[in-house]
Amino acid sequence: MQLIIWLLLMIGGFTPTQVRELETDPLFNSGRGSALTENGTVEMEASIMDGPKRRCGAVSGLTTVKNPISLARLVMEKSPHSYLAFSGAEEFARQQGVELVDNEYFITEENLGMLKLAKEANSILFDYRIPNGGFETCSAGAAATDSPLQMNGLPISLYAPETVGCVVVDQEGRCAAATSTGGLMNKRTGRIGDSPLIGAGTYASNLCGVSCTGEGEAIIRATLARDVAAVMEYKGLCLQEAVDFVIKERLDEGQAGLIAVSKNGEVACGFNANGMFRGCATEDGFMEVGIWP
């Protein structure tokens, strides 16, 4: 599972500052430190949504934008569109004057090593870096579960990517959500996951804000983030009940998790893997972090 930051901020307005901070840290699978494609390059994606008016912005296929979440917000605020991708998104970034860097900036030695291991295993890795006790790959050949590959003395199967996300609610009950990722290690070029898809990896409304993590294809099939808001609205469930429902009923055999806040200031999380890294903070100084259920 990815690392995802879960913030309850009782302040007016929403900025993607928290996500930008994580995008610049090479420890996370977003911005610098993003997972590599099969060609050894980085293609990043992100989305942001403002609940009260359901405004949203999303980007995919970024190769030079230092902070994808900032460009997603500009798509929301400075363009007539909701989603831009690849060369069109890069051109929009240049027009808006956002900071651009060479693709090499995003590539770390650690990820080059992980890509080599993934290619040797002939697999797309869902899991790397953070031990979570499970093996999840899309094998393109022989069963990857038999691979003897190790890192730091642990089977490679015990490591998980760290997409980053943030959900917030202010003192007026306005919710927002943002998610940013580099995707899967050894993914095909041009692959788009759940993180930039509004309603799948990110969603916010007048009821709640949601950001998801895990197997992108499973999250897309479930429209997981939107479904939290839907069951709150149509079934009358509270936030945690809604989160528990979609994790149990919508994922089929996929593994995923999510963080969420409601307009009433509730915070909730849910996942069907061994653990999910998360944190929560409020303006009065309360802070909490968690990994396990």
Side-chain angles (χ1 to χ4, degrees):
M1 302 293 291
Q2 66 204 34
L3 184 146
I4 192 161
I5 299 298
W6 173 31
L7 298 175
L8 172 63
L9 300 179
M10 301 304 291
I11 56 176
F14 172 64
T15 69
T17 302
Q18 296 80 18
V19 177
R20 281 201 303 265
E21 289 294 319
L22 299 177
E23 287 177 335
T24 58
D25 191 322
L27 291 177
F28 305 127
N29 179 17
S30 64
R32 189 161 186 254
S34 286
L36 305 180
T37 69
E38 60 187 354
N39 294 333
T41 58
V42 166
E43 292 181 356
M44 301 165 291
E45 49 196 25
S47 64
I48 188 170
M49 190 165 186
D50 180 23
K53 294 184 179 180
R54 290 187 175 85
R55 299 184 306 149
C56 60
V59 289
S60 288
L62 301 182
T63 60
T64 64
V65 176
K66 186 176 182 180
N67 292 108
I69 197 63
S70 296
L71 187 62
R73 182 169 183 173
L74 287 171
V75 171
M76 178 178 72
E77 296 183 340
K78 302 294 185 180
S79 86
H81 308 300
S82 296
Y83 198 159
L84 294 176
F86 296 93
S87 60
E90 296 275 348
E91 176 61 25
F92 180 70
R94 288 189 287 272
Q95 293 172 355
Q96 294 298 314
V98 304
E99 187 173 0
L100 304 178
V101 295
D102 292 336
N103 196 253
E104 289 76 14
Y105 162 84
F106 304 104
I107 300 172
T108 66
E109 287 298 320
E110 181 184 33
N111 280 346
L112 287 172
M114 293 305 305
L115 179 62
K116 181 176 182 293
L117 294 177
K119 287 183 175 296
E120 290 174 354
N122 199 25
S123 297
I124 297 170
L125 297 186
F126 287 114
D127 294 336
Y128 68 102
R129 287 198 186 137
I130 301 300
N132 76 355
F135 191 99
E136 298 161 24
T137 67
C138 286
S139 178
T145 52
D146 296 330
S147 173
L149 298 175
Q150 292 191 345
M151 186 173 73
N152 298 329
L154 294 172
I156 195 171
S157 61
L158 300 183
Y159 287 80
E162 303 149 2
T163 291
V164 301
C166 178
V167 290
V168 301
V169 59
D170 68 12
Q171 57 193 224
E172 296 182 12
R174 297 174 297 187
C175 298
T179 312
S180 179
T181 189
L184 305 177
M185 184 64 72
N186 200 28
K187 66 183 180 181
R188 292 186 65 91
T189 57
R191 182 261 184 185
I192 295 174
D194 67 285
S195 295
L197 300 184
I198 300 300
T202 304
Y203 190 74
S205 68
N206 61 329
L207 292 175
C208 62
V210 183
S211 180
C212 298
T213 168
E215 296 182 30
E217 281 68 21
I219 293 170
I220 292 169
R221 292 193 301 268
T223 58
L224 200 64
R226 163 60 183 157
D227 214 39
V228 173
V231 296
M232 289 181 70
E233 181 176 359
Y234 302 134
K235 285 181 170 287
L237 302 184
C238 72
L239 183 66
Q240 187 64 63
E241 290 172 339
V243 168
D244 292 342
F245 178 85
V246 300
I247 292 294
K248 180 180 179 180
E249 302 294 337
R250 296 293 187 255
L251 284 171
D252 302 321
E253 297 181 357
Q255 286 197 326
L258 61 85
I259 55 172
V261 293
S262 77
K263 66 177 183 179
N264 299 322
E266 302 165 286
V267 295
C269 71
F271 49 93
N272 62 359
N274 287 358
M276 181 177 73
F277 286 65
R278 58 205 185 268
C280 175
T282 66
E283 70 167 358
D284 61 8
F286 172 80
M287 299 181 70
E288 181 180 72
V289 296
I291 303 174
W292 316 116

